[in-house]
Amino acid sequence: MLQKIKNNILLVVVFLSVISVHAQKNNWQPASFEVVKSNYKTFKTTQYAHVFSGSKNNIVRLAPELEGLTGVTLPLDQYKNGTNAPLKLKFKEDAIVFVGTFQDKSNNEFLQLDTTDSAFLVYQDGVTITGLPSVDVYAISYKKGTHTILPSAKGLYAVLGVVKMKETLVSTNAGQLDGRLWNPTFIVEGFSDEKPLFEIIGGENKPVIDEGMQGTEGIQGGFEGGRVVKVDDTYHMFPTERAGEKGVEMYYDRVKTKIGHWTSKDAIHWKRESTILQASGTYAITEDDNPMNDRRAAIWSYMPVFNEKANKWYGYYLAYTVSKEIEPNHSFGRIWRCESTVEGINGIAGPYKDMGIIMEPGLDSQPWEGRQGVASFFPYQVGNKFYGFYSGAYPFESWKDYPKKSGKGWFVALAESNSLEGPWFRLNKGLKPIQSIHPLFVENPIVSQLPNGLYIAIFDGGPDGWGHHLPNMMGYSLSKDGVNWSEAHYWPIETKVDKWWDIMRTPLCLIPEGNDVYTIVYNAIDLKKRFHPTGMVKVKLNRDVMDARLKELEKK
């Protein structure tokens, strides 16, 4: 197929018979080039790089030698259907172009190369691009001057970088995963066709609360979930403390939990003030939702909300039955409401008294709420109405699967009420979860409003780990009315702060600090540790993009 291009291509001089099982030892030196007579843009080849315009496909894995090279963003649909304009590159020196092809020979939408096409296979499984087959990386060499790249080729491929001709290449298998494991594809803020709503402007390059710091005594497993609010000049954090016990296996950390109260003046240096709630840590004696079981065995996801009408702080939190034998061990969640016994905005420290259960499994529950639902709750006001995100997890396909046979999925839906006290009712009787944000994973959403009135929900976007291939980033969704929510965008904060975590978990706040700067406190997991630390990052809002997003939502 590619005979016509052989006069323009020099065969890369390599040891074709040598197959190496180790990675390239040295980084390659990039060669300078420019795109000729085209509006194709270039990108830096790195994690999250946006490879194709008109798409949500991004690099999530790559061989390290490709890191930092310059690729060319090609229009996805045009290359798939063969209507693309020829790609012309001008090289200022003899150079090698790295072309990524997709391992799906049965699909003519993808270009196929082999060594007979004057292309040398440098990496088998060299790059992972979300939503697309495994990528093999080939090297094709060109002399100094202007060349049309693969002029007779049909089908989609990726231009991943250009290096100097002098580089010695050795074929190897890089072992990167198939990008179709990341399904569906997702939008990474700052790495898409859209302008980012938030710019990541920095933050702490290490955890702000970590094992051994003052206040962490007796907390074996660190932190997960909860909320941070700011009152005057003080941040108040109410995290789930995965307390566990010394000498007891780490899985018990997520059973015996506490809700702590921490304060800070800068969201960096924290002081533990008190324990708001303490779970029993008692395992269930039956496998079903039975009142014989301790239904407050584990306590999670404390959400403080100030009720202006009542002039006091309310707390909404989750209490679980805990099974020792069935996955998930957290089962049959119930949402409790408590309220501060001290009136006024400064009564946030409590003490708090329980006012009863506001949502629980019952006749209005749906199979998608699963064994874990009701698994979180966050209320917010829209006009004279109140809505609350509630969640479910480990869904049942039908009630025939109750109580043991659950699937995978972490979903949210809305409840409604005329007041923060309730009663709360599942909107549309909870028949379907909200899947416009992400169809498989949305956890612990917290809602606030942007300066133009847009509602924004920040949430845990799901792990890339434990057998899951999810964004592994915090995400946000927008709504003009607080009911209908947009597709998620995800924050790649490791592009601006040192990545100390393996698995990103839950954002606890989006606090405005003035000048369109916001503070996010978050939990994450370092797999080398039992203790799950807490971090902090700053983002800056782009008001022009905010207004453009509102106009887009108003058209729908």
Side-chain angles (χ1 to χ4, degrees), residues 38-250:
S38 172
N39 60 358
Y40 295 168
K41 298 179 180 178
T42 59
F43 64 86
K44 182 180 178 180
T45 305
T46 187
Q47 188 180 31
Y48 306 129
H50 185 50
V51 184
F52 303 113
S53 59
S55 82
K56 293 180 284 187
N57 306 96
N58 295 78
I59 293 174
V60 288
R61 300 278 197 283
L62 72 162
E65 290 70 34
L66 296 171
E67 181 76 37
L69 298 181
T70 300
V72 180
T73 306
L74 304 179
L76 182 94
D77 289 338
Q78 293 178 33
Y79 270 77
K80 276 189 170 183
N81 61 30
T83 60
N84 55 284
L87 174 63
K88 289 186 177 182
L89 301 181
K90 182 178 180 180
F91 304 104
K92 297 181 180 179
E93 57 187 309
D94 295 350
I96 298 170
V97 177
F98 292 118
V99 171
T101 66
F102 298 96
Q103 296 176 16
D104 190 349
K105 294 182 180 180
S106 63
N107 190 339
N108 60 14
E109 290 183 335
F110 299 121
L111 171 70
Q112 299 300 321
L113 291 175
D114 56 46
T115 55
T116 63
D117 297 317
S118 299
F120 170 62
L121 178 61
V122 181
Y123 281 126
Q124 184 179 353
D125 298 328
V127 179
T128 301
I129 300 176
T130 55
L132 293 171
S134 296
V135 178
D136 292 336
V137 180
Y138 288 85
I140 304 174
S141 60
Y142 293 87
K143 283 188 171 295
K144 177 181 177 180
T146 300
H147 298 270
T148 300
I149 308 302
L150 301 175
S152 302
K154 298 294 182 182
L156 184 68
Y157 62 90
V159 177
L160 298 168
V162 180
V163 299
K164 296 179 182 293
M165 180 69 80
K166 67 178 183 179
E167 298 293 346
T168 300
L169 307 179
V170 180
S171 182
T172 187
N173 189 320
Q176 306 301 333
L177 297 177
D178 191 309
R180 289 171 292 193
L181 294 170
W182 283 259
N183 185 24
T185 53
F186 47 87
I187 301 170
V188 182
E189 189 87 334
F191 292 87
S192 74
D193 294 333
E194 301 181 31
K195 291 183 179 179
L197 179 61
F198 293 93
E199 178 190 358
I200 302 155
I201 58 174
E204 292 300 294
N205 292 316
K206 59 183 180 180
V208 296
I209 305 179
D210 206 348
E211 186 174 18
M213 291 183 177
Q214 187 173 359
T216 63
E217 301 86 0
I219 303 172
Q220 311 306 308
F223 302 88
E224 169 52 23
R227 191 186 187 196
V228 176
V229 296
K230 193 175 184 182
V231 178
D232 297 327
D233 63 348
T234 302
Y235 299 87
H236 296 263
M237 178 168 61
F238 297 85
T240 302
E241 298 173 348
R242 304 168 72 252
E245 287 184 7
K246 288 185 177 180
V248 180
E249 62 182 9
M250 63 184 298

Side-chain angles (χ1 to χ4, degrees), residues 329-540:
N329 70 331
H330 288 159
S331 305
F332 315 125
R334 286 171 162 79
I335 305 300
W336 287 72
R337 184 178 73 83
C338 61
E339 59 183 49
S340 177
T341 60
V342 179
E343 291 189 352
I345 195 74
N346 293 316
I348 190 169
Y352 287 81
K353 63 178 180 179
D354 279 321
M355 304 304 293
I357 296 169
I358 65 163
M359 287 196 75
E360 63 182 326
L363 295 177
D364 288 337
S365 298
Q366 297 297 325
W368 66 263
E369 295 179 33
R371 184 173 172 88
Q372 204 167 71
V374 181
S376 71
F377 186 81
F378 185 86
Y380 57 96
Q381 188 170 1
V382 178
N384 295 322
K385 195 83 173 175
F386 291 88
Y387 294 99
F389 270 114
Y390 71 97
S391 68
Y394 293 87
F396 301 119
E397 188 171 331
S398 72
W399 288 125
K400 294 179 181 180
D401 294 333
Y402 174 91
K404 290 184 179 180
K405 188 180 177 182
S406 59
K408 294 293 178 68
W410 291 258
F411 306 110
V412 294
L414 289 177
E416 60 181 340
S417 176
N418 291 322
S419 72
L420 283 170
E421 294 84 4
W424 290 89
F425 302 98
R426 288 163 171 82
L427 193 65
N428 192 31
K429 297 183 179 180
L431 292 177
K432 292 183 179 180
I434 297 170
Q435 294 186 289
S436 57
I437 302 174
H438 187 282
L440 298 174
F441 198 106
V442 178
E443 196 166 64
N444 296 318
I446 294 175
V447 178
S448 56
Q449 280 187 281
L450 297 177
N452 67 348
L454 268 177
Y455 294 89
I456 181 168
I458 60 172
F459 61 91
D460 174 356
D464 181 7
W466 306 317
H468 304 290
H469 296 288
L470 291 159
N472 205 32
M473 291 174 276
M474 298 178 285
Y476 73 85
S477 173
L478 301 175
S479 174
K480 65 178 180 180
D481 57 11
V483 176
N484 299 286
W485 291 89
S486 70
E487 181 178 5
H489 289 61
Y490 297 89
W491 281 307
I493 68 171
E494 60 265 46
T495 61
K496 293 294 179 68
V497 300
D498 292 345
K499 186 180 179 184
W500 52 262
W501 64 91
D502 296 297
I503 295 176
M504 176 57 66
R505 291 309 314 266
T506 307
L508 279 64
C509 60
L510 183 68
I511 296 176
E513 307 288 12
N515 297 319
D516 294 324
V517 173
Y518 290 75
T519 296
I520 300 173
V521 178
Y522 61 92
N523 301 131
I525 298 173
D526 179 346
L527 291 173
K528 298 184 294 297
K529 298 179 177 181
R530 177 174 178 171
F531 191 98
H532 297 178
T534 297
M536 188 274 283
V537 69
K538 300 277 189 179
V539 298
K540 187 175 179 65

